[in-house]
Amino acid sequence: MKKTSEVINKNGYPQLSINGKIQDGLAYITYLTENNRYTDFVKAGYRLFSIPVFFGFNHLNESSGLFVFKKGIFDKSEPDFSTFDEDIRRILDACPDAYIFPRVNVSLSREWELQNPDELCEAYPDGTISRASFASDKWAEEVKREIREFIDHVEKSEYRSRIVGYQVAGGNTEEWLPFDAKRGISGRRAAEKFARYVEEKKIEASEGAFYRFYSELVADRIIEFSSLIKHLTNRNLIVGTFYGYTLSCPYRTFGHHALNKILQSEDIDFICSPVCYSNNREIGRDHPYMLALSSVKHHGKLYFSENDTRTHLSRAVNDMQWYNQPIWFGPDAETSCEVIKMHAARALINGHAAWWFDMWGGWFDNDTYMTLMKDIRGLFEKNSVIPMRSTTQTAVFVDEEAYALISDPAVVTNVCYNIREALGRMSVPYDIYLSSDAPSVISRYKAIISLVPTETKLSKCVKELAEQSDCAIIEITSDNFSISSSELRAFLQSAGAWIYCDRDAVIYANDRFLFLHTVESGEYTLNLKDYDGLVDALTGIPFTQGQYLKKGKSFIFEYVKRKKGSLHSDSTES
């Protein structure tokens, strides 16, 4: 049977194919569908949409106390699909040929949790109701029952042909973060499962073993639900999930450190995460990935970045203090365009998909923004059928299994989170992998940066493989995590890796594009190894070497011409 949607490796990287045709991979979603801007995005050429779905009315964010934005389908004894059907119709009224992949929050209703106290995490000291534990089999069976009813409804609907996949969401903020992550993982069912885990594996019941177990448990639940959806749709549609925030949620209590297990599953086609929120996404610095993107691609999975890019039109959704912090508001319109270009360039150049998350609606309700959205989509559409490959000679490795062994959050924050500031400014693009993938990829690179919050078998393996492959390697540890971007650049230069700029800058590059974001105001000269020049891909203006640029400017350049004798080829290898 021919698949409606699938992820295929084409032109050097995983891409979305629908009905046998490669898609540009750009989508639009808003939580508040009544405030949607579907028509604006359709005019800009968008045909791929996501849509929020809630199984139960409950908190969306347990930390802030924000509730979901729609009534739950399964709040009452009989399911009510009317709100979901209405939301689908909103999209199809604006775009009859839309492709839709619902974002299905499988969290159960508050009523179910009140009726099943033994299936929850340990109660909070302040008396706040606890939430369902991922370790509960009773909870998982109820989730699967509701998934069956939901998929059955969609399969029998008149809009069935417009549904091209599902995103399985759950946990705190829908991102499979445990509801009690800030206190550590607790609950009767987790303790019971862990006891069986150590008995089966014949290991000591240590804290490190528990946190390793918990990450694996979260991954197993996601795979379990994804496998069911694959079965119910005859494996005809793509299925994906939020997971693997290895670099942005490094603390062992967050349960996000079994990405390798997710990547091994044949039932998960795509992985999602937001753009990192570090430093309130200020200009003049990189906005890095939350996960090991290169490992996701290496295993043939599509990556969707969630571009919840704030603009000057971003507003608070309510008067809660949580949603009135600086991170929820964007800069002025001109600066917002520079950030939009950065978030788009990350996807274009690194070869992945993305959706613009217009959270409360109206964040992009501006002619300038929508013109930019249209131009960006045009770049994606044109280049989705052209071979592109990474040209970086630098790789970063991180061992997700190490986190379970570290009780001090400061160590992993410094070594695996804060280090990305220096990595992002060093004027050298880098591929980033889980250390478990080192044996099959390390020989491609000249320089290796290994993030080692604590030494493990895998970190030792990375070091040994680098030495065997004659790669220069530097290990970032709790002793040298304050290394500067200029010191990293000097290391990479000594290793023979290509340096794109001799001053701090944010650089992404492949063999067709080069992105520049200026860290400070000043003169910028870009080192073009195999090309004669650059032209702005959005404006057509040639880049002049040594020109003065203000801080926080973003440029998506296309290479003008390949020099004779260039070492680069048009190989489609990833």
Side-chain angles (χ1 to χ4, degrees), residues 86-103:
E86 181 183 356
D87 283 341
I88 292 288
R89 180 50 53 195
R90 279 191 172 114
I91 294 177
L92 294 179
D93 284 346
C95 183
D97 60 345
Y99 296 130
I100 306 170
F101 60 108
R103 172 176 175 157

Side-chain angles (χ1 to χ4, degrees), residues 128-142:
T128 304
I129 182 175
S130 189
R131 298 295 304 276
S133 170
F134 297 154
S136 167
D137 290 335
K138 185 176 183 180
W139 165 80
E141 287 305 311
E142 177 61 17

Side-chain angles (χ1 to χ4, degrees), residues 278-539:
S278 58
N279 299 302
N280 288 329
R281 294 185 182 158
E282 297 170 353
I283 61 166
R285 51 180 18 119
D286 189 22
H287 299 176
Y289 292 103
M290 286 189 169
L291 45 61
L293 169 66
S294 302
S295 280
V296 175
K297 293 165 59 181
H298 179 63
H299 287 271
K301 309 297 185 185
L302 181 65
Y303 172 65
F304 270 100
S305 63
E306 178 170 273
N307 295 343
D308 51 347
T309 309
R310 279 57 161 157
T311 71
H312 81 288
L313 296 174
S314 300
R315 299 287 184 268
V317 67
N318 53 39
D319 59 2
M320 297 169 68
Q321 184 178 359
W322 183 283
Y323 297 99
N324 283 272
Q325 301 299 316
I327 188 59
W328 290 98
F329 305 98
D332 60 80
E334 181 180 353
T335 304
S336 294
C337 286
E338 304 304 316
V339 177
I340 289 171
K341 284 189 283 186
M342 177 192 285
H343 293 175
R346 292 166 74 254
L348 175 69
I349 294 175
N350 289 300
H352 61 80
W355 64 70
W356 299 106
F357 192 11
D358 186 11
M359 273 190 168
W360 325 133
W363 287 12
F364 308 107
D365 187 17
N366 174 284
D367 288 344
T368 301
Y369 294 154
M370 291 313 304
T371 297
L372 181 55
M373 291 291 179
K374 180 178 181 179
D375 292 344
I376 285 168
R377 202 207 64 81
L379 278 181
F380 273 75
E381 182 180 38
K382 181 177 73 172
N383 290 286
S384 63
V385 296
I386 298 175
M388 291 191 291
R389 67 183 181 92
S390 170
T391 54
T392 185
Q393 299 165 325
T394 302
V396 175
F397 289 90
V398 57
D399 177 12
E400 63 178 350
E401 295 183 17
Y403 295 149
L405 306 175
I406 304 168
S407 59
D408 183 0
V411 172
V412 287
T413 298
N414 289 327
V415 176
C416 300
Y417 182 93
N418 292 340
I419 187 62
R420 291 176 304 165
E421 178 72 10
L423 291 172
R425 297 166 61 106
M426 64 187 182
S427 293
V428 178
Y430 58 91
D431 292 339
I432 185 160
Y433 296 93
L434 298 176
S435 296
S436 51
D437 287 325
S440 55
V441 301
I442 206 166
S443 61
R444 302 176 186 175
Y445 301 94
K446 289 187 176 181
I448 303 301
I449 301 172
S450 183
L451 309 184
V452 187
T454 187
E455 190 175 65
T456 64
K457 289 182 179 179
L458 278 175
S459 66
K460 289 180 181 178
C461 177
V462 170
K463 188 173 184 179
E464 291 171 0
L465 288 169
E467 293 170 350
Q468 292 169 10
S469 300
D470 201 25
C471 297
I473 182 170
I474 184 171
E475 294 185 321
I476 306 300
T477 69
S478 55
D479 293 328
N480 68 343
F481 66 85
S482 59
I483 190 170
S484 68
S485 53
S486 59
E487 289 172 320
L488 283 173
R489 190 159 55 247
F491 159 71
L492 296 174
Q493 193 160 24
S494 68
W498 189 254
I499 309 298
Y500 285 79
C501 187
D502 296 328
R503 61 178 297 162
D504 278 10
V506 178
I507 301 282
Y508 314 144
N510 62 20
D511 63 353
R512 295 191 179 273
F513 295 97
L514 185 151
F515 171 76
L516 166 68
H517 183 74
T518 54
V519 169
E520 297 291 348
S521 297
E523 295 180 358
Y524 282 81
T525 296
L526 298 174
N527 303 319
L528 308 179
K529 184 177 182 181
D530 295 323
Y531 306 92
D532 287 333
L534 298 167
V535 62
D536 191 306
L538 295 173
T539 66

Side-chain angles (χ1 to χ4, degrees), residues 129-201:
I129 182 175
S130 189
R131 298 295 304 276
S133 170
F134 297 154
S136 167
D137 290 335
K138 185 176 183 180
W139 165 80
E141 287 305 311
E142 177 61 17
V143 168
K144 289 190 287 186
R145 184 190 71 79
E146 294 182 2
I147 286 175
R148 291 187 187 96
E149 289 199 45
F150 175 67
I151 297 295
D152 181 64
H153 173 77
V154 175
E155 289 293 298
K156 293 176 179 177
S157 71
E158 61 181 11
Y159 51 75
R160 173 178 178 265
S161 64
R162 309 320 306 173
I163 304 299
V164 296
Y166 294 94
Q167 180 186 353
V168 185
N172 205 34
T173 62
E174 303 190 310
E175 296 169 282
W176 292 109
L177 299 165
F179 290 113
D180 60 348
K182 290 188 176 181
R183 296 183 297 119
I185 311 304
S186 57
R188 178 184 301 181
R189 301 309 179 212
E192 293 169 351
K193 278 194 181 302
F194 179 59
R196 293 195 292 270
Y197 178 86
V198 296
E199 182 178 351
E200 291 169 2
K201 291 186 174 290

Side-chain angles (χ1 to χ4, degrees), residues 111-120 138:
E111 183 180 2
W112 187 94
E113 292 175 342
L114 286 169
Q115 294 173 352
N116 294 274
D118 291 342
E119 311 306 318
L120 311 182
K138 185 176 183 180

